[in-house]
């Protein structure tokens, strides 16, 4: 529930000046205000001169580092930062993590996570095991059974491996074909926990999903940052061009629509877990396979499985031709879902090589197929 901002900032001040502080990050901005710096990070350090509180601020051009003496000097520096209209605070101590988000109305939403076991080592193991704390309020809303926690954790690990260690101060995310949006919310909770300002939009064709997901965002206290629109993947209107595009289990050519929009936006990062590969399978049916690969498509079940592989191979190839580095990885163990492949892409802007162009051309020519994605990409 929202709390008075002054009360929450007083608690934040105590944590920032406490000897048990491990790290703190302030980022984002409150509605209608702009801080003098885009990001601030605080951590205790030990120098030759003794213990200091290190404060690194970034004005968007270059970082500035100060090492202040604990006591009145540190208190004055902390008070100056708390007076800035940051939208988010993330504080880590030896025993807890506190996340604060300032709402549009100027109140504060606060989430506290602390050790649930007596042993610090046991807490370390638990933190290492799950990227999103099993005690996070998200699991109270969506349910926290073991299978769902494993899928969320596998997704977040893929996300962690895709993004750089240092994120931009504001990260804009779209989830295309978000469905019931539990992975959308998981991405938000994880990214917000990394101390950056996160804006998320989920897109789904069903209006009832938009209404349901918006209600969940309200219950989690993140409706200022996480919103939903009803519309198709190819035409839904967004309030921004995203940095990160998610398309998780979008069916058949809906995955191609999502990848095409990501390329059109020049999104920096893309995570897509394809589902239901009908398009290429239909093109292969009744077509003679090039020699000596007739056995690959002679039997229906083999043809369908090969079509899955060929479809995603061509998708990865087309992303490379459009300036992305692509990894094809396992999303989650096939014991949990048979749709367990993920395309993980980072934009490099590199022009395609002649070898890459030749390989793609040979694939489509030999198999006599035309990938849906090739018809959707910006010309």
């Amino acid at each position: 529930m929202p709390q008075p901002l002054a009360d929450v900032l007083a608690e934040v001040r105590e944590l920032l000046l406490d000897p048990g502080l491990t790290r703190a990050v302030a980022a984002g901005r409150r509605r209608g205000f702009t801080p003098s710096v885009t990001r601030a990070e605080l951590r205790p350090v030990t120098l030759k001169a003794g213990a200091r509180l290190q404060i690194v601020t970034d004005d968007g051009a270059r970082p500035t580092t100060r090492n202040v003496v604990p006591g009145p000097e540190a208190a004055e520096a902390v008070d100056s930062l708390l007076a800035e209209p940051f939208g988010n605070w993330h504080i880590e101590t030896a025993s807890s993590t506190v996340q604060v988000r300032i709402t549009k109305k100027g109140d504060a939403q606060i989430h506290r996570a602390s050790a649930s076991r007596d042993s610090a080592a046991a807490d370390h193991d638990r933190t290492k095991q799950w990227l999103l704390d099993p005690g996070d309020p998200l699991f109270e809303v969506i349910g926290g059974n073991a299978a769902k926690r494993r899928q969320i954790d596998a997704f977040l690990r893929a996300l962690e491996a895709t993004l750089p260690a240092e994120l931009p101060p504001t990260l804009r995310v779209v989830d295309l074909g978000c469905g019931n949006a539990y992975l959308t919310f998981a991405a938000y909770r994880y990214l917000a926990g990394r101390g950056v300002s996160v804006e998320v939009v989920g897109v789904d064709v069903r209006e009832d999903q938009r209404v349901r997901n918006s209600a969940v965002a309200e219950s989690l206290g993140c409706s200022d940052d996480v919103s939903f629109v009803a519309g198709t993947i190819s035409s839904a209107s967004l309030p921004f061009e995203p940095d990160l595009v998610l398309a998780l289990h979008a069916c058949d050519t809906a995955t191609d629509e999502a990848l095409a929009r990501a390329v059109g936006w020049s999104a920096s990062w893309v995570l897509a877990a394809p589902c239901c590969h009908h398009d290429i399978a239909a093109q292969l049916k009744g077509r003679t396979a090039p020699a000596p690969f007739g056995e690959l498509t002679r039997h229906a079940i083999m043809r369908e499985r090969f079509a899955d592989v060929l479809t995603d191979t061509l998708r990865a190839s087309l992303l490379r031709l459009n300036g992305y580095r692509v990894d094809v990885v396992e999303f989650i163990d096939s014991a949990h879902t048979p749709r367990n492949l993920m395309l993980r892409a980072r934009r490099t802007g590199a022009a395609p090589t002649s070898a890459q162009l030749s390989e793609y051309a040979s694939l489509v020519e030999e198999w006599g197929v035309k990938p849906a994605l090739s018809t959707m990409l910006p010309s």
Side-chain angles (χ1 to χ4, degrees):
M1 295 294 293
Q3 299 181 37
L5 179 59
D7 293 348
V8 174
L9 290 182
E11 178 180 342
V12 170
R13 184 180 190 273
E14 290 184 10
L15 292 171
L16 296 179
L17 295 173
D18 191 277
L21 176 72
T22 302
R23 173 177 176 265
V25 176
R29 60 186 180 88
R30 298 175 203 168
R31 189 177 188 183
F33 298 92
T34 302
S36 63
V37 293
T38 59
R39 189 176 189 270
E41 182 170 353
L42 301 85
R43 66 174 70 242
V45 296
T46 302
L47 307 177
K48 288 183 179 180
R52 295 290 187 270
L53 179 63
Q54 184 177 89
I55 303 174
V56 181
T57 55
D58 194 329
D59 62 3
R62 64 182 183 277
T64 301
T65 301
R66 289 187 296 156
N67 296 308
V68 297
V69 179
E73 184 181 358
E76 182 180 353
V78 165
D79 288 340
S80 295
L81 288 175
L82 290 172
E84 294 280 356
F86 289 116
N88 302 276
W89 277 92
H90 174 85
I91 306 102
E92 300 172 7
T93 73
S95 59
S96 66
T97 298
V98 176
Q99 297 179 40
V100 175
R101 184 184 61 81
I102 315 305
T103 69
K104 291 180 180 177
K105 296 180 180 179
D107 296 319
Q109 292 277 1
I110 186 168
H111 172 61
R112 304 175 183 86
S114 59
S116 61
R117 307 179 189 178
D118 294 334
S119 164
D123 181 66
H124 172 76
D125 291 342
R126 186 180 72 125
T127 302
K128 183 178 180 181
Q129 182 181 2
W130 303 107
L131 289 185
L132 189 63
D133 190 330
D136 191 283
L138 173 65
F139 292 107
E140 298 177 11
V141 176
I142 68 170
N145 64 68
K148 186 166 288 185
R149 285 201 305 272
R150 280 194 296 270
Q151 187 181 39
I152 287 175
D153 194 65
F155 161 62
L156 293 180
R157 290 187 185 280
L159 180 58
E160 181 185 48
T162 303
L163 299 176
E166 288 296 324
L167 295 175
T170 299
L171 190 65
R172 296 178 174 87
V173 184
V174 62
D175 188 351
L176 298 173
C178 65
N180 61 17
Y182 69 88
L183 291 177
T184 317
F185 286 112
Y188 169 76
R189 301 293 290 191
Y190 168 71
L191 293 169
R194 288 185 57 174
V196 298
S197 177
V198 187
E199 300 177 36
V200 182
V201 173
V203 176
D204 195 88
V205 71
R206 291 170 50 184
E207 170 65 15
D208 61 326
Q209 289 283 37
R210 185 197 67 78
V211 172
R212 174 200 171 277
N213 294 336
S214 298
V216 172
E218 286 284 352
S219 69
L220 290 171
C222 60
S223 57
D224 288 351
D225 303 320
V226 184
S227 60
F228 296 89
V229 298
T232 65
I233 289 174
S234 60
S235 63
S237 177
L238 269 63
F240 52 68
E241 290 197 350
D243 307 298
L244 169 64
V245 174
L246 307 176
L248 307 171
H249 296 150
C251 191
D252 196 23
T253 56
T255 293
D256 300 297
E257 293 173 8
L259 295 177
R261 291 213 77 178
V263 173
W265 285 317
S266 295
S268 297
W269 305 284
V270 185
L271 285 178
C275 184
C276 305
H277 304 62
H278 299 312
D279 180 54
I280 295 294
Q283 294 183 49
L284 292 176
K285 188 176 182 180
R287 184 183 298 273
T288 302
F293 304 112
E295 287 297 325
L296 283 176
T297 60
R298 189 181 310 281
H299 306 286
I301 188 169
M302 298 300 292
R303 182 172 62 248
E304 290 175 6
R305 292 180 180 178
F306 174 69
D308 289 1
V309 173
L310 182 58
T311 299
D312 291 323
T313 298
L314 292 169
R315 284 168 171 162
S317 181
L318 283 165
L319 286 174
R320 290 189 186 97
L321 297 184
N322 282 271
Y324 285 84
R325 175 183 173 183
V326 186
D327 296 310
V328 183
V329 299
E330 185 177 68
F331 178 10
I332 190 171
D333 190 275
S334 57
H336 305 293
T337 173
R339 303 298 181 183
N340 67 334
L341 180 145
M342 176 175 282
L343 301 174
R344 201 172 63 195
R346 304 179 184 88
R347 181 165 178 79
T348 64
T353 66
S354 57
Q356 290 171 335
L357 291 166
S358 177
E359 287 174 1
Y360 172 77
S362 296
L363 267 177
V364 295
E365 182 179 353
E366 286 292 323
W367 288 99
V369 295
K370 187 171 186 178
L373 180 57
S374 68
T375 67
M376 300 174 184
L377 288 168
S379 55

